[in-house]
Amino acid sequence: MSRVKSESPTAVTDVHTGSKMQRVIYVTYLIAVLDITWMFLQFSITPYLAKKLGFDTLWIGYLQTMVGVVQLLGGPIFGRFADLFGARAAMCLSCTASVVYYGLLAIADSPLMLFIHKLPAVLMHGLPGAQMVVTDLTEPDKRAEALGKLGLCFGIGMVAGSTLGGTLSTRYGETFAACVAAGGSFISFLLVWTFIPKHTKIQTPQDNTDKKSNAKSVFDLGEITRLMKYPGVAKTFMVKIISGLPSGIFQVMFSVIAMNFFQLAPEQNGYLMAYFGIVSMVIQGGVIGRLTSKYSENSLLLLSIGMSSLVGLAQVFMANVFQFCFIVLPMMFSLSVFNVITDSMLTKTVPSSDTGTMLGLCASVQSLLRTIGPTIGGFLYHNYGVASFGFIQFAVNMVVFVFMLRNMVNSKDERRE
């Protein structure tokens, strides 16, 4: 412990000492589970509430697009805020926004209110906040495994939230389910305030001076976009956007697919989402860590893209929910590996003082997909059916796979020369 203190004598907190660091990480995992639980609880009730209020497939798409837009705007700013003011302030802000978000959902009794309740989502970045804490407290060579465990938390939350949402909405109604989510978000706020340190980065006097001078740059677009200039960042971001777009479209349209194509009731949809979560837990808790210890991140990224292409081909011929349950296995594997590996690669390319901003940008990629996904997805679903999602995923990911493979081959040839 004395050695750690000598390396960072002016640290605001001794969070980087062994026992306290582990406690903070475990509490962060718990907060992530709770955040994902309330999010999937909301996912399982909103489409049915929207339908009761007269929304059709197109307007449900507009509703999802709005969430994507506000989170696209808020993601990088949230990450920058965390880098400047600390993880606890950022996560408390996210939890507060969640309480307001679910509270407004509970009282939504008109189409306008359903749109208004989405506005606090601009500050709702619970999972990126947890990723920031874990990234700060883990070594680079262990980062992919640690982020994978956050994926395990995602799976647990998906199972709990989907099952809870379907059960509560069926037995007690959507309003009661939304109130449960609001109360749960307040519990998350208390956990953050009690257990998460004000700062999780090791700070030096120079860091503190820089922080004071740059506090005004939370909304500085230049401070955020400058990270794209680091070697490899722009390329990885393009792969993340292009390869992730087809699967992102399918994900944002899945509530519509489950309701109209598979003809699932709310409780049945909850069970299906719980199945997603169980598969995700197995993959991210027991598979990704072993893979990252044996294979390079570039190889795993290539594997996930290739498998995503094959998943798209299988979706072209999918006819019922039973067949889809088999497709879920490789689909969740490719999604889990792709997201964990790209986030890990991107955080390693920037200084530790900017990892929050980088993770905010990563979250904005998902928000971008949710922004343009519903519009594209609604058009494809109305005109070409569910099979069109699979065909586009197959074609796009195959092109990206060939591009990545050629780059890897050329890189090896250059090293030999």
Side-chain angles (χ1 to χ4, degrees):
M1 184 177 296
S2 60
R3 182 181 61 85
V4 175
K5 288 183 178 180
S6 65
E7 291 174 354
S8 182
T10 59
V12 173
T13 176
D14 61 344
V15 66
H16 287 267
T17 59
S19 60
K20 186 166 185 178
M21 180 180 71
Q22 286 301 316
R23 187 182 72 175
V24 172
I25 290 176
Y26 290 147
V27 173
T28 302
Y29 288 154
L30 174 60
I31 293 168
V33 169
L34 292 175
D35 182 77
I36 299 302
T37 297
W38 314 134
M39 182 178 71
F40 274 92
L41 184 150
Q42 178 262 150
F43 285 166
S44 65
I45 65 175
T46 299
Y48 299 94
L49 178 60
K51 200 170 184 179
K52 286 182 180 179
L53 295 175
F55 282 59
D56 59 13
T57 303
L58 188 61
W59 277 96
I60 292 175
Y62 291 151
L63 193 65
Q64 292 171 322
T65 298
M66 181 178 177
V67 178
V69 170
V70 296
Q71 290 201 317
L72 175 64
L73 296 174
I77 295 173
F78 179 84
R80 183 67 179 161
F81 181 89
D83 280 337
L84 294 177
F85 299 107
R88 183 170 67 190
M91 294 181 73
C92 282
L93 185 65
S94 176
C95 292
T96 303
S98 296
V99 172
V100 176
Y101 178 92
Y102 297 124
L104 290 174
L105 178 61
I107 63 174
D109 56 359
S110 67
L112 178 61
M113 278 300 300
L114 205 56
F115 275 99
I116 290 175
H117 109 272
K118 299 294 185 183
L119 294 176
V122 69
L123 300 174
M124 288 173 59
H125 300 278
L127 186 59
Q131 288 176 324
M132 293 169 193
V133 175
V134 171
T135 298
D136 288 341
L137 300 181
T138 53
E139 297 296 329
D141 59 336
K142 300 291 184 180
R143 189 165 297 165
E145 183 178 356
L147 291 174
K149 289 179 180 177
L150 268 178
L152 172 62
C153 298
F154 187 94
I156 296 172
M158 184 186 295
V159 173
S162 301
T163 305
L164 192 62
T167 302
L168 291 178
S169 61
T170 300
R171 297 183 180 181
Y172 305 106
E174 289 85 0
T175 298
F176 180 80
C179 288
V180 170
S185 296
F186 182 70
I187 293 174
S188 297
F189 176 90
L190 294 178
L191 288 173
V192 171
W193 186 261
T194 304
F195 294 103
I196 303 300
K198 184 177 180 181
H199 296 287
T200 52
K201 301 180 189 293
I202 297 179
Q203 299 176 347
T204 64
Q206 181 63 40
D207 292 331
N208 293 328
T209 301
D210 291 342
K211 182 166 290 188
K212 290 178 182 177
S213 63
N214 288 332
K216 61 182 180 181
S217 64
V218 175
F219 299 98
D220 188 345
L221 185 62
E223 285 294 317
I224 297 172
T225 57
R226 69 180 173 80
L227 300 183
M228 302 299 291
K229 299 177 182 179
Y230 285 93
V233 171
K235 176 185 170 183
T236 305
F237 255 96
M238 288 303 298
V239 170
K240 193 173 181 68
I241 293 172
I242 296 173
S243 183
L245 177 60
S247 59
I249 293 173
F250 183 83
Q251 289 176 64
V252 298
M253 291 300 296
F254 182 75
S255 60
V256 175
I257 294 171
M259 190 164 48
N260 297 335
F261 185 73
F262 293 144
Q263 298 291 312
L264 298 181
E267 196 165 4
Q268 293 172 324
N269 185 40
Y271 293 144
L272 182 60
M273 297 300 289
Y275 171 62
F276 287 178
I278 292 171
V279 174
S280 177
M281 284 192 303
V282 172
I283 292 171
Q284 304 208 53
V287 177
I288 290 183
R290 297 179 182 179
L291 289 176
T292 55
S293 64
K294 293 182 180 180
Y295 304 100
S296 69
E297 290 184 335
N298 283 325
S299 298
L300 292 175
L301 179 59
L302 189 66
L303 172 65
S304 67
I305 293 171
M307 186 166 290
S308 181
S309 180
L310 296 179
V311 166
L313 185 62
Q315 288 176 350
V316 172
F317 302 101
M318 177 182 67
N320 54 57
V321 69
F322 180 74
Q323 294 175 355
F324 179 66
C325 286
F326 285 98
I327 297 173
V328 164
L329 298 173
M331 182 182 78
M332 294 305 296
F333 176 84
S334 60
L335 283 173
S336 300
V337 173
F338 181 79
N339 289 326
V340 169
I341 295 301
T342 50
D343 287 353
S344 176
M345 292 173 68
L346 288 167
T347 56
K348 290 178 181 178
T349 59
V350 298
S352 60
S353 59
D354 290 317
T355 53
T357 306
M358 177 56 73
L359 286 167
L361 287 170
C362 290
S364 291
V365 172
Q366 299 300 319
S367 300
L368 175 64
L369 301 182
R370 289 196 297 271
T371 300
I372 62 178
T375 303
I376 300 173
F379 173 80
L380 292 173
Y381 183 79
H382 276 290
N383 293 281
Y384 304 105
V386 175
S388 62
F389 300 141
F391 178 78
I392 291 176
Q393 182 167 331
F394 168 74
V396 170
N397 280 279
M398 184 55 66
V399 171
V400 176
F401 178 84
V402 172
F403 171 77
M404 294 284 293
L405 185 61
R406 287 186 60 184
N407 275 357
M408 288 183 66
V409 172
N410 291 337
S411 297
K412 289 182 179 178
D413 290 340
E414 289 176 0
R415 290 173 186 172
R416 290 174 184 173
E417 294 176 359

